[in-house]
Amino acid sequence: MSRFVNAAIGQLGPIARHETRPQVVQRLSALMHQAHQMGCDLIVYPELALTTFFPRWYIEDPAELDAFYEREMPGPETQALFDLSRQLGIGFYIGYGELAFEEGRTRRYNTSIIVDKRGAIVGKYRKVHLPGHAEHEPWRAFQHLEKRYFEAGKDFPVFHAFGGVFGMAICNDRRWTETYREMGVQGVEMILIGYNTPVHNPPAPEHDDLSLFHNQLVMQAGAYQNGTWVVGVAKAGIEEGVDQIGGSCIVAPSGEIVASCTTKGDELALARCDLDLCNSFKETTFNFDLHRQPEAYSRLVARKGPGLMADGTPVPSPSARTKDPS
Ligand code: CDV
């Protein structure tokens, strides 16, 4: 049995601060046309794909900040992408800043959606793992103010789409085991992930040379350990002076990379993804019903970080650890 989804990576190069939504939608549309010409069912765009990655700046003026968010989806400036999706019969995933009015107040989220081949939204996800910091930290070469500009999402829902079970994650989520497993236990068959990852990590510059390696490592492990396809898509290149990694790729349930981008600009890469390739992993090594032992994992949800060790002693903080004299 085979259930093929022809998936396209719709990698973007940098988006400058002055670029308008219509200009960006034109770039997204050009990629969508190419994907359609190549017979794709789905194109995956990056995180915050309609604007520059604004959390790199400490922005004090609320009006200036709000201009980076969407109040409705589709809205007047994004409707054209939904129309094109319906006209061409191709679905898409896209990330954007969401400004919502809920429970009597304005809320901001780092959001993604899945749109089906009829141009209808069939799934929405709000980023759970928000990296960075909430206050201005001028010592950094650039800011990463996601903790200031967004509230965290609450879960990892999956959706019926494209003849299979689809899930979403956004950028930093892809580094966390829990992201994949939450969707794995819901039978996910393809996880779509957009990202903006600077090469330079101000709190840990010693990791800079490993940024592409870590990008592949986490997505390949997440795919294999949950028997699912993973599509990871970058906004890459030097954006407003900040160098962001490329490395967009499609990972099979075997953990193998089957398609990848080679540039750091607007680029399409494709794979013919058989959702039924998930089965041999979900039914053997990672047959969760047979092999998982949730009763042994209680600490995973009972605590956030290191607490007591199994013998009841507190875990020493990394900075308090001394070298074993033996
Ligand atoms: N947009 C992101 O979530 N970026 C983070 C950076 C800050 C490390 C990432 O995990 O790629």
Side-chain angles (χ1 to χ4, degrees):
M1 209 169 83
S2 306
R3 283 176 296 139
F4 288 109
V5 174
N6 290 342
I9 290 168
Q11 178 179 282
L12 289 179
I15 299 178
R17 189 169 186 163
H18 63 77
E19 275 185 77
T20 64
R21 300 286 198 293
Q23 285 173 321
V24 175
V25 166
Q26 229 169 42
R27 286 169 61 182
L28 299 170
S29 301
L31 288 167
M32 189 179 276
H33 273 293
Q34 288 177 35
H36 172 250
Q37 281 160 13
M38 303 299 287
C40 290
D41 302 295
L42 162 71
I43 179 166
V44 182
Y45 299 118
E47 170 192 36
L48 297 175
L50 295 167
T51 65
T52 199
F53 190 78
F54 62 91
R56 74 168 62 90
W57 295 298
Y58 180 65
I59 300 169
E60 291 180 274
D61 176 0
E64 197 181 338
L65 180 64
D66 282 355
F68 289 107
Y69 296 79
E70 312 305 311
R71 287 175 169 73
E72 46 183 339
M73 189 57 68
E77 291 166 315
T78 46
Q79 183 64 52
L81 196 63
F82 287 74
D83 293 345
L84 187 62
S85 151
R86 193 177 49 251
Q87 181 197 322
L88 299 178
I90 175 170
F92 64 96
Y93 158 109
I94 193 165
Y96 60 96
E98 178 190 4
L99 204 147
F101 194 76
E102 289 171 352
E103 293 162 15
R105 67 180 178 88
T106 300
R107 310 176 84 126
R108 295 176 173 78
Y109 299 99
N110 189 341
T111 297
S112 62
I113 48 172
I114 293 175
V115 177
D116 72 9
K117 291 176 165 197
R118 291 162 304 146
I121 295 175
V122 291
K124 181 165 161 176
Y125 165 73
R126 288 166 168 170
K127 185 174 184 178
V128 168
H129 299 101
L130 297 172
H133 47 109
E135 301 305 326
H136 190 205
E137 295 187 6
W139 62 268
R140 292 173 182 255
F142 48 85
Q143 303 295 295
H144 198 103
L145 285 157
E146 286 198 61
K147 287 195 194 300
R148 184 180 191 86
Y149 296 154
F150 303 115
E151 288 181 50
K154 299 261 178 287
D155 63 349
F156 292 97
V158 300
F159 306 94
H160 288 287
F162 308 103
V165 181
F166 275 65
M168 291 178 270
I170 302 178
C171 197
N172 191 262
D173 287 323
R174 76 193 188 287
R175 304 185 190 277
W176 297 88
T177 306
E178 294 86 346
T179 297
Y180 302 92
R181 188 62 104 221
E182 270 294 313
M183 291 185 270
V185 295
Q186 299 175 79
V188 76
E189 295 175 305
M190 187 177 277
I191 300 177
L192 312 177
I193 308 175
Y195 59 89
N196 283 266
T197 297
V199 173
H200 174 54
N201 181 4
E206 65 275 22
H207 301 172
D208 291 1
D209 286 346
L210 300 169
S211 54
L212 273 174
F213 165 65
H214 289 155
N215 180 54
Q216 292 191 354
L217 177 73
V218 290
M219 293 196 289
Q220 290 185 268
Y224 168 63
Q225 291 172 343
N226 294 278
T228 180
W229 290 88
V230 170
V231 182
V233 181
K235 174 137 66 59
I238 300 177
E239 189 180 84
E240 296 294 349
V242 176
D243 192 8
Q244 303 197 154
I245 66 165
S248 303
C249 59
I250 300 180
V251 187
S254 59
E256 295 164 290
I257 292 177
V258 296
S260 55
C261 287
T262 52
T263 72
K264 289 176 89 172
D266 291 12
E267 184 183 344
L268 203 73
L270 324 169
R272 190 163 192 241
C273 307
D274 180 0
L275 298 181
D276 282 318
L277 269 186
C278 301
N279 300 346
S280 73
F281 296 92
K282 290 187 190 296
E283 289 166 0
T284 62
T285 314
F286 298 111
N287 182 327
F288 291 164
D289 281 332
L290 272 186
H291 305 305
R292 284 188 82 240
Q293 300 292 346
E295 57 284 359
Y297 314 147
S298 57
R299 292 180 193 87
L300 285 181
V301 288
R303 65 166 73 151
K304 200 165 166 177
L308 295 182
M309 291 166 59
D311 65 3
T313 58
V315 175
S317 72
S319 53
R321 282 171 217 235
T322 50
K323 212 171 159 207
D324 183 344
S326 60

